[in-house]
Amino acid sequence: MPSFLFWLFAGVMLIFGALVIINRNPIASALSLVVCFLGLAALFMSLDAFFIGIIQVLVYAGAVMVLFLFIIMLLDLRAEERRTMNWVAFTGGFVVAVSLLVQILAVISRTQMAKQTFPPLASPQTDDVRNVGLLLFGHYNLPFQVIGVLILVATVGVIVLSKRQLR
Amino acid sequence: MSAIVETIEAMERPPVTMTSRLEGELLEVSMGPQHPSTHGVFRMNVALDGEIVRKLKPVFGYLHRNHEKIGENTSYLGSMPYTDRLDYFCSMTNNWAYALSVEKLAGIEVPERAEYLRVVLAELTRLQNHASLLGFLLSDMGAWGTPLMYAFREREKILDLFESLSGSRMMCDYMRFGGCRVDASAEWLARAKEIVDRFPNFLDEFEKLIVENEILIARTQNVGKLSPQLAISAGITGPMLRACGVNYDIRKVDGYGYYPRFQFRIPLGEHGDTYDRLMMRALEMRESISILNQAFEQIPAGPIMNPKVKVRAFRPPVGEAYGRIEAPKGELGFYLISDGSPNPYRYRVRPPSFINLTILEDLCLGHTVADVMVILGSVDIVMGEVDR
Amino acid sequence: MNPTTFFIFTTLLKIVGIVFVVILPMVSYAVYAERKVSALIQDRLGPNRVGPAGLFQPIADAMKFLLKEDFTPAHVNKFYYWLAPCLAMVPAITTIAVVPFGSTLFGVPMVIADINVGVLFVFAIASLGVYGIVIGGWASNSKYPFLGGVRSTSQMISYELSLGLAVIPIFLLIGNLRLTEVVQYQIDHGWMIVPFAGDWRNPLAWLLAIPMWISFAVFAIAVFAETNRLPFDLPEAETELVGGYHTEYSSMKFALFFLGEYAAMITGSAIIVTLFLGGWHFPGIPDGSHGWIFGLINIFVFFAKIVVLLFIFIWVRFTLPRFRYDQLMRLGWVFFFEIALVNIFCVAAILAFHAPPFPKHGLQADESDHGIPGGKMGPAVA
């Protein structure tokens, strides 16, 4: 893929990722996150992983973030905008983030894997939907079903909890 | 019928707090006076919990024009054209109610042919009012005007009849105390009969729509239920009252005009919901057609005006009278007090739409915003009459 | 001309041709058609002043939209207020990129981007369409638009499920998500609504027609809901919410919302045509490889099918009343969702007996490829 596209989308992701945190308005943050997801999807697609890219848009940008927006819209946004900055929390978070970054850089600089160049990816003619499907429902069928049941249980739990609170 | 008579104030209502812990704040929406489906300049202040109506406060008066006070400062004849403007869909019945109360006040006899003409025109008015009401109601439900257009097509024919008889489509000013203003020619009666004969085609089409359309049934059944007790204690009249199963039609109760001479039935509802109110209009139109057909057969020749009445220099004796008729929307009454002068001492209108509207909140509580529009449509209001 | 330049040139030509020459005029004439057809239904005349039979009415409307004052209320959130109409229009037109609107013309395939996840691309982009409405409703900072925005969020998410589940039977049958393959399959084995056309003697193929029709019905109804058309037009519900999410908009910004709805209707019809009604195929008409005239006829057939569907869209709008919000939700979650799920099981059961005609891709998985120790995920199909 043309490398300028990589830099373009990576830049978009970084900028909007930062905007998610910087924006005081939750709606603006949520929308920045959507753009961030779109950039990520574009990166996947440039690796010929159309399926993952599209699912990224469909699930995260199209469904999850819409639900987030739905919830945020019902909140009192002014309260968030009025809130003043807590300097203790800010410096604490800053220290944690910087130390994490230093740690990651240190680890990466020592591993051998980071130095080698990746081999070119498989030919773009592969049908990745079929591959994902066969892998998911063939080799990983049991874990997949278990996760499905877990999510079902979680959903039922949420409904039970919220209904109890209503009464 | 007076087993349990409750006043509206005595009705138990859950206390409405503007904030509840989990449901969050109620959203207060001001619907109207510029809302597309409030039938004119009606306004409702609605408190919504999500989509559910928790509180509804009707606000009216945007079209108030001192009708009653003007009536006291005008001669008896002068008020006649002004009654057209009350419920501007049904000027004929307004005229009749006013003429009836003046006739009661002064003890005037009306010639036979005039009485028949009055019945014909009142029932034609009922036909066009109910037809357009059904159209408007479906429009409020989101049917985008198609039923309304069909209803208006029928209404146009009747308005054309009114125009050729009285000179005006909506502001007819046709009746006078002691008779009617102009006589209907045999040709006019033949035309009217032809239109009435074709009207059942429209009704068949419309009833099929009401009976068969799943969405319409889902939108109207069990929506806006009105109990007979509340309806009676709030003074609800007309199709709305009969939709709750209360057999009360002034055409039968008072037997004013020549209505006792006609064979007709009073359709009654069972549940008092919006569907019944819709159905009530459709069934009443059938009965109106039957009355009209009888009237076309029986109508005699003769004078249309009592020659003893001096319409212009009219001075009724001292006294008071209340004349009421079954207007398409309910009981329309005029209460007049005469002090012997050319102007009434007191001129009071009992408007059916206004009184039927008073229970709007009781009908709407617990339903959704979409239902409010449907319920309001089924009450059948005309702001000219509500605000006067 | 080298292949890359040729590819870029033809793709640009296709984009410009399909969007500016076909879709956008179609959008404006869909408005005209809506007014004319509704007039026909309602016993009226419809627009007849501008040009012969009112044919220039869309141009007059466009002039009006462009020249009217573009009023921005003081209480709105300006940036998002401006952004929302664009977000409403763009996804509707973007989805057309993967739809094959013809066979070939002079050897060039008549599809802008033939990607292997075609239908998922359509769903993904269509699901972004809700942002325009939600942000429009929120940024207007007013109550009716807000209610419209809230309604549209839940409505679109609910009906996306039925939309997605309704097409799964098709892909069980075909085994491929590429829309050109879907059309090719339908040419070989009969349109999706007549799956027995290629195999008259097989009773199972006839049996397959039942779930395919259910799929078609659920999908078409979900498209109605996704495009906010009556009886599912609750986000704008004129008689309840005045104008819903676009109450505070005027001039060209309103026009973008308005035209976005029609564009979504056209692309929705295009997807229905591609998935169920044989795409550009019409029995007896060969594809574009037999001559450019047939290529043109194929394109014409595709858009003719869209026009028929648009007529149905308009017909329904002027016939049915609107659902109530809770009824709409119940219908989506309790009825369509379940029926689509059961439908998938039925198709799978039928296909277990009726040998699915996709041998050319092969159903057998290569088990040896499944361990991914080195992060390498090679092609599972040999």
Side-chain angles (χ1 to χ4, degrees):
Chain A
M1 115 189 164
S3 61
F4 78 91
L5 280 181
F6 170 77
W7 291 116
L8 177 71
F9 288 119
V12 164
M13 274 190 69
L14 284 178
I15 291 169
F16 280 91
L19 281 177
V20 174
I21 307 165
I22 293 168
N23 271 318
R24 302 300 294 167
N25 184 337
I27 295 264
S29 296
L31 290 176
S32 306
L33 196 55
V34 171
V35 179
C36 194
F37 285 146
L38 292 182
L40 185 60
L43 285 183
F44 277 130
M45 284 194 192
S46 62
L47 294 170
D48 285 322
F50 287 106
F51 181 67
I52 306 292
I54 285 296
I55 288 297
Q56 180 79 27
V57 178
L58 185 60
V59 173
Y60 286 99
V64 173
M65 286 317 292
V66 176
L67 287 177
F68 269 52
L69 268 187
F70 185 74
I71 301 300
I72 294 171
M73 270 166 55
L74 299 175
L75 299 177
D76 183 13
L77 295 183
R78 305 241 167 69
E80 181 61 32
E81 275 169 1
R82 275 195 301 268
R83 215 168 67 183
T84 49
M85 200 177 258
N86 185 346
W87 281 104
V88 182
F90 179 77
T91 38
F94 188 77
V95 168
V96 169
V98 166
S99 55
L100 193 66
L101 187 69
V102 168
Q103 199 174 3
I104 289 172
L105 285 178
V107 170
I108 285 178
S109 65
R110 283 186 200 162
T111 49
Q112 288 299 311
M113 258 167 80
K115 290 190 178 123
Q116 72 190 38
T117 51
F118 278 97
L121 286 159
S123 83
Q125 299 306 322
T126 55
D127 192 349
D128 50 356
V129 185
R130 179 177 299 274
N131 290 350
V132 170
L134 287 175
L135 211 58
L136 216 53
F137 289 100
H139 195 257
Y140 295 111
N141 196 10
L142 186 67
F144 184 75
Q145 303 292 345
V146 169
I147 289 173
V149 173
L150 265 180
I151 293 175
L152 183 68
V153 169
T155 315
V156 172
V158 166
I159 291 170
V160 168
L161 284 177
S162 59
K163 283 285 167 197
R164 183 181 299 158
Q165 231 169 347
L166 267 179
R167 261 183 238 122
Chain B
M1 280 315 296
S2 59
I4 314 161
V5 177
E6 293 167 313
T7 60
I8 312 175
E9 288 75 22
M11 292 290 292
E12 275 295 318
R13 281 203 201 125
V16 179
T17 50
M18 286 314 284
T19 47
S20 59
R21 190 172 56 85
L22 257 173
E23 285 146 3
E25 285 173 38
L26 294 183
L27 181 70
E28 264 195 278
V29 182
S30 169
M31 290 188 151
Q34 297 178 26
H35 194 281
S37 55
T38 49
H39 297 245
V41 284
F42 181 52
R43 176 171 158 219
M44 291 169 281
N45 280 336
V46 184
L48 298 177
D49 169 13
E51 293 252 333
I52 312 281
V53 177
R54 292 288 178 221
K55 212 175 170 183
L56 187 146
K57 190 178 158 224
V59 181
F60 18 62
Y62 292 93
L63 204 60
H64 184 67
R65 51 201 190 282
N66 265 326
H67 184 98
E68 291 178 3
K69 196 68 195 168
I70 290 173
E72 286 164 20
N73 293 311
T74 325
S75 66
Y76 284 89
L77 178 63
S79 286
M80 183 62 87
Y82 206 44
T83 58
D84 291 341
R85 275 80 178 167
L86 276 173
D87 172 358
Y88 40 78
F89 265 68
C90 318
S91 59
M92 288 292 186
T93 47
N94 297 345
N95 287 172
W96 193 1
Y98 180 60
L100 195 74
S101 34
V102 178
E103 282 154 12
K104 246 183 173 175
L105 186 68
I108 302 171
E109 291 287 314
V110 182
E112 203 176 10
R113 184 175 172 85
E115 287 281 24
Y116 271 101
L117 277 176
R118 284 178 177 186
V119 169
V120 166
L121 290 167
E123 294 307 318
L124 283 174
T125 303
R126 199 181 311 278
L127 282 184
Q128 57 97 3
N129 179 73
H130 285 0
S132 42
L133 168 97
L134 292 181
F136 279 127
L137 187 51
L138 277 146
S139 230
D140 288 346
M141 251 177 251
W144 270 101
T146 305
L148 183 64
M149 283 294 162
Y150 284 21
F152 264 46
R153 188 184 59 199
E154 302 304 314
R155 181 171 178 257
E156 278 308 292
K157 292 177 192 164
I158 294 172
L159 288 190
D160 284 347
L161 276 181
F162 287 176
E163 187 182 16
S164 65
L165 187 63
S166 74
S168 176
R169 285 154 48 83
M170 288 169 79
M171 303 297 131
C172 297
D173 181 25
Y174 179 69
M175 292 173 198
R176 291 286 178 268
F177 13 95
C180 298
R181 187 156 54 86
V182 275
D183 198 358
S185 62
E187 196 190 351
W188 186 90
L189 283 171
R191 247 180 78 200
K193 185 162 171 43
E194 199 188 321
I195 288 168
V196 171
D197 284 344
R198 286 205 193 145
F199 203 83
N201 296 342
F202 161 76
L203 273 180
D204 291 342
E205 200 176 63
F206 225 103
E207 277 180 13
K208 211 172 137 194
L209 176 71
I210 298 173
V211 174
E212 288 182 1
N213 192 309
E214 288 275 340
I215 303 180
L216 191 143
I217 290 173
R219 284 293 303 275
T220 52
Q221 282 188 349
N222 285 323
V223 169
K225 271 197 163 184
L226 175 60
S227 68
Q229 288 80 22
L230 176 63
I232 292 169
S233 51
I236 309 301
T237 47
M240 248 185 114
L241 176 68
R242 292 192 288 274
C244 323
V246 181
N247 189 352
Y248 186 77
D249 186 317
I250 297 165
R251 286 177 295 179
K252 290 277 190 195
V253 174
D254 274 16
Y256 64 95
Y258 278 175
Y259 274 115
R261 293 192 186 185
F262 296 101
Q263 294 272 321
F264 64 101
R265 293 171 301 170
I266 304 299
L268 289 180
E270 200 178 330
H271 310 287
D273 56 3
T274 306
Y275 185 79
D276 276 12
R277 291 199 277 275
L278 246 171
M279 216 52 210
M280 202 53 48
R281 265 76 184 217
L283 294 174
E284 275 191 11
M285 281 196 273
R286 295 261 179 210
E287 294 307 314
S288 288
I289 289 170
S290 129
I291 295 175
L292 279 166
N293 281 328
Q294 293 170 47
F296 288 137
E297 272 173 27
Q298 298 173 12
I299 188 163
I304 53 150
M305 195 63 203
N306 185 338
K308 287 179 215 155
V309 182
K310 294 180 196 137
V311 170
R312 280 174 201 284
F314 186 72
R315 272 169 184 272
V318 178
E320 55 186 277
Y322 177 67
R324 58 176 188 170
I325 64 159
E326 180 72 25
K329 294 177 169 63
E331 177 185 335
L332 173 65
F334 285 82
Y335 180 61
L336 298 171
I337 301 180
S338 163
D339 56 358
S341 66
N343 302 347
Y345 174 74
R346 177 75 173 100
Y347 170 100
R348 157 94 179 123
V349 188
R350 187 225 184 262
S353 343
F354 175 67
I355 291 170
N356 289 355
L357 196 57
T358 49
I359 50 156
L360 187 66
E361 183 175 12
D362 300 75
L363 296 183
C364 292
L365 286 187
H367 290 297
T368 61
V369 192
D371 289 333
V372 171
M373 292 307 154
V374 177
I375 292 169
L376 181 68
S378 76
V379 172
D380 192 7
I381 56 163
V382 161
M383 287 319 281
E385 191 177 66
V386 172
D387 286 343
R388 303 191 297 297
Chain C
M1 204 187 284
N2 84 36
T4 314
T5 325
F6 181 74
F7 174 76
I8 291 175
F9 177 72
T10 51
T11 304
L12 277 179
L13 206 64
K14 278 186 276 188
I15 293 173
V16 170
I18 203 73
V19 172
F20 290 99
V21 181
V22 184
I23 299 286
L24 286 183
M26 216 168 157
V27 166
S28 48
Y29 274 88
V31 181
Y32 171 76
E34 174 122 51
R35 294 175 65 181
K36 269 294 186 193
V37 172
S38 71
L40 186 76
I41 291 172
Q42 299 184 344
D43 223 355
R44 296 184 283 116
L45 286 177
N48 64 351
R49 294 286 118 180
V50 195
L55 270 173
F56 300 148
Q57 187 68 40
I59 299 165
D61 285 346
M63 291 302 287
K64 190 188 84 174
F65 278 133
L66 284 169
L67 296 178
K68 275 210 164 182
E69 185 193 355
D70 194 358
F71 182 73
T72 308
H75 54 74
V76 301
N77 195 327
K78 296 248 168 22
F79 176 73
Y80 295 103
Y81 182 79
W82 277 83
L83 187 69
C86 315
L87 288 180
M89 188 72 176
V90 169
I93 290 184
T94 313
T95 38
I96 207 77
V98 293
V99 176
F101 52 88
S103 52
T104 52
L105 199 59
F106 304 113
V108 181
M110 284 292 108
V111 52
I112 294 168
D114 189 16
I115 60 175
N116 65 350
V117 286
V119 78
L120 286 178
F121 178 85
V122 171
F123 290 156
I125 300 299
S127 69
L128 296 181
V130 68
Y131 282 107
I133 294 175
V134 172
I135 294 173
W138 173 77
S140 294
N141 196 9
S142 165
K143 283 167 186 170
Y144 291 118
F146 175 75
L147 282 174
V150 170
R151 279 182 175 189
S152 82
T153 327
S154 30
Q155 174 179 335
M156 285 194 148
I157 287 191
S158 309
Y159 277 84
E160 254 164 38
L161 283 173
S162 320
L163 202 67
L165 290 175
V167 293
I168 288 180
I170 294 178
F171 299 108
L172 285 177
L173 193 62
I174 299 175
N176 202 323
L177 293 179
R178 195 185 291 268
L179 288 174
T180 46
E181 297 275 346
V182 174
V183 175
Q184 191 55 47
Y185 178 91
Q186 295 186 70
I187 293 167
D188 297 339
H189 301 93
W191 297 0
M192 275 306 157
I193 52 168
V194 280
F196 43 80
D199 196 2
W200 292 96
R201 306 259 165 72
N202 191 344
L204 282 170
W206 282 82
L207 194 61
L208 203 57
I210 300 168
M212 281 306 160
W213 270 94
I214 295 174
S215 243
F216 175 60
V218 172
F219 189 82
I221 291 167
V223 167
F224 271 85
E226 285 285 302
T227 50
N228 295 328
R229 292 285 297 187
L230 254 156
F232 304 104
D233 71 332
L234 286 105
E236 49 182 286
E238 185 183 308
T239 49
E240 299 151 25
L241 301 183
V242 186
Y245 58 90
H246 59 57
T247 307
E248 302 281 346
Y249 282 87
S250 57
S251 178
M252 203 57 209
K253 288 206 280 285
F254 165 72
L256 277 178
F257 273 125
F258 188 62
L259 300 178
E261 183 190 314
Y262 285 88
M265 220 162 92
I266 289 172
T267 47
S269 309
I271 302 295
I272 295 178
V273 167
T274 310
L275 290 178
F276 292 97
L277 303 176
W280 46 264
H281 173 246
F282 196 79
I285 297 175
D287 64 13
S289 57
H290 294 80
W292 61 270
I293 186 78
F294 291 115
L296 278 183
I297 290 174
N298 289 151
I299 296 176
F300 177 77
V301 165
F302 180 75
F303 284 103
K305 286 177 184 173
I306 291 184
V307 167
V308 171
L309 280 180
L310 286 183
F311 177 78
I312 294 172
F313 266 95
I314 295 168
W315 186 7
V316 168
R317 176 177 181 184
F318 284 93
T319 308
L320 293 179
R322 185 185 298 124
F323 279 107
R324 205 169 58 208
Y325 181 68
D326 54 325
Q327 292 166 347
L328 176 96
M329 283 293 145
R330 199 179 312 132
L331 197 69
W333 284 100
V334 179
F335 187 70
F336 287 136
F337 182 66
E338 265 71 4
I339 212 169
L341 271 182
V342 171
N343 203 30
I344 293 170
F345 279 108
C346 293
V347 173
I350 293 170
L351 288 183
F353 296 103
H354 172 62
F358 46 83
K360 60 184 168 187
H361 303 295
L363 196 63
Q364 302 305 313
D366 193 353
E367 289 292 330
S368 64
D369 256 353
H370 284 161
I372 345 174
K376 170 177 161 283
M377 196 175 116
V381 184

